[in-house]
Amino acid sequence: MFAVYAAEPNADAPLDSLTVGERPEPEVPDGWVAVRVSAASLNMHDLWTLRGVGIKPEQFPMILGCDGAGTLEDGTEVVLHSVIGDASLFGDETLDPKRSLLTEKHQGTFADTVVVPKRNVLPKPENLTAPQAAVMGTAWLTAYRMLFVKSGLRPGQTMLVQGASGGVSTALVQLGSAAGMRVWVTGRTEEKRAVAEKLGAHATFPSGERLPERVDAVFETVGDATWSHSMRALKPGGVVVVSGSTSGPNPGADLQRLFFLQLRVIGSTMGTRGELSDLLTFVSNAGISPEIGLELPMERAEEGFRAMLEGDTSGKIVFRR
């Protein structure tokens, strides 16, 4: 079958490992289902896989793609949940120490067919297209959990999103605006800030700029480059919710500010199947159209990877079959 895959790990030149070609048709174990892929979205995780991070060398070649949308054998349209873990033991599969994402142990979605556990498919809402549904399982689910499960924010409070153009950031803007938050966003360029305003941000600011007032919560996916600004931006008792560190994972902790102002730092990773179900219902009922910055046929995957590597898009990058 057709697939986009990492031939081998390549830490220094990840795109050199990216291959568009043929892979064997997958076998379907008991309790799993085959999904004919209609669309799948690109995530930073795919670049990490190309670099060999979070995956053993003997697991290559690995088909890329953490999430997507497609059809079952009977024609049912579905959305994929990317987290493969044991919810029966832990209640929350993201807390299973043996959990994995697609492309870490199991082949991914950038292919004609992907095989996943039966519980990892959910019905696709009728008012979402396949490309829109394909962005839900990773970036949008991460944003949903950060905002509605981890932050403790109430409608009417003020949230700051660090970074205006990434998939999680644009999802946070759209979800927060729809839920009645006052949404502020930082961005490096005027063009990226304009995208955030189009999506519902109430105010935007250049990265690192002093804000008019402190905020109730900051949502962090950037890390080193924005951490000190995030800490300074919080009200006493405020919270910073972290789900990524694209600019580096080891900023100064600013512990004096942390304890003196009684700030909270909360980590957040992906989300549960139940949270994905709630997200799909919320997006459908609220009439939200997820921001897709670039949509390409899967055969042109390298263009999408290069755009992500160069930070050249706003919103999600989606590949369609």
Side-chain angles (χ1 to χ4, degrees):
M1 67 175 181
F2 173 88
V4 178
Y5 60 96
E8 60 187 3
N10 192 326
D12 297 324
L15 295 191
D16 288 352
S17 179
L18 183 67
T19 307
V20 176
E22 294 291 317
R23 295 296 299 151
E25 288 282 347
E27 297 181 0
V28 185
D30 289 342
W32 292 52
V33 292
V35 178
R36 189 77 176 173
V37 177
S38 303
S41 70
L42 179 62
N43 293 282
M44 285 299 298
H45 191 277
D46 297 305
L47 279 172
W48 290 117
T49 301
L50 285 166
R51 290 187 171 108
V53 177
I55 178 174
K56 297 177 180 178
E58 61 267 24
Q59 291 175 280
F60 289 84
M62 175 62 72
I63 298 173
L64 299 166
C66 302
D67 52 23
T71 56
L72 299 178
E73 187 177 359
D74 64 3
T76 302
E77 294 186 302
V78 296
V79 180
L80 299 178
H81 182 222
S82 307
V83 181
I84 299 176
D86 194 339
S88 66
L89 291 178
F90 297 92
D92 178 341
E93 57 267 40
T94 70
L95 299 178
D96 179 353
K98 295 183 178 180
R99 76 183 186 277
S100 66
L101 298 184
L102 290 176
T103 73
E104 291 178 348
K105 294 181 180 178
H106 306 285
Q107 301 292 323
T109 58
F110 294 173
D112 289 332
T113 302
V114 64
V115 174
V116 298
K118 287 181 180 177
R119 76 178 307 272
N120 284 68
V121 299
L122 294 88
K124 183 183 78 66
E126 291 184 2
N127 57 347
L128 288 182
T129 66
Q132 289 172 336
V135 310
M136 292 287 113
T138 299
W140 275 70
L141 179 57
T142 297
Y144 181 92
R145 185 179 178 91
M146 292 174 78
L147 180 56
F148 296 119
V149 180
K150 295 292 188 176
S151 76
L153 278 188
R154 302 185 304 274
Q157 292 187 299
T158 302
M159 57 185 278
L160 175 67
V161 180
Q162 292 282 23
S165 62
V168 174
S169 296
T170 53
L172 282 163
V173 172
Q174 292 188 265
L175 290 171
S177 177
M181 315 297 180
R182 182 165 66 155
V183 182
W184 289 359
V185 178
T186 64
R188 289 177 296 168
T189 68
E190 188 173 331
E191 292 76 16
K192 292 181 185 296
R193 296 193 294 272
V195 171
E197 291 174 2
K198 181 193 75 171
L199 296 178
H202 298 93
T204 60
F205 308 90
S207 298
E209 183 175 280
R210 184 183 179 93
L211 303 178
E213 61 186 74
R214 292 182 177 179
V215 302
D216 298 288
V218 179
F219 294 89
E220 259 285 357
T221 60
V222 181
D224 283 1
T226 56
W227 186 258
S228 63
H229 183 259
S230 294
M231 298 296 280
R232 295 194 310 271
L234 284 171
K235 293 178 180 178
V239 61
V240 55
V241 186
V242 185
S243 71
S245 55
T246 56
S247 69
N250 296 305
D254 201 356
L255 291 179
Q256 287 183 314
R257 184 182 299 273
L258 183 73
F259 69 74
F260 188 74
L261 296 181
Q262 301 184 72
L263 306 178
R264 292 174 293 137
V265 177
I266 296 177
S268 187
T269 295
M270 294 294 289
T272 66
R273 184 188 190 279
E275 289 160 8
L276 178 56
S277 178
D278 292 341
L279 165 64
L280 292 170
T281 300
F282 180 66
V283 168
S284 179
N285 289 346
I288 297 172
S289 295
E291 178 70 3
I292 296 175
L294 181 63
E295 187 176 326
L296 295 166
M298 207 170 281
E299 289 82 357
R300 293 168 57 189
E302 184 178 350
E303 295 176 41
F305 274 86
R306 198 167 297 282
M308 172 171 277
L309 195 61
E310 296 171 357
D312 204 19
T313 63
S314 296
K316 291 295 294 177
I317 297 171
V318 176
F319 302 136
R320 61 180 185 274
R321 284 302 291 143

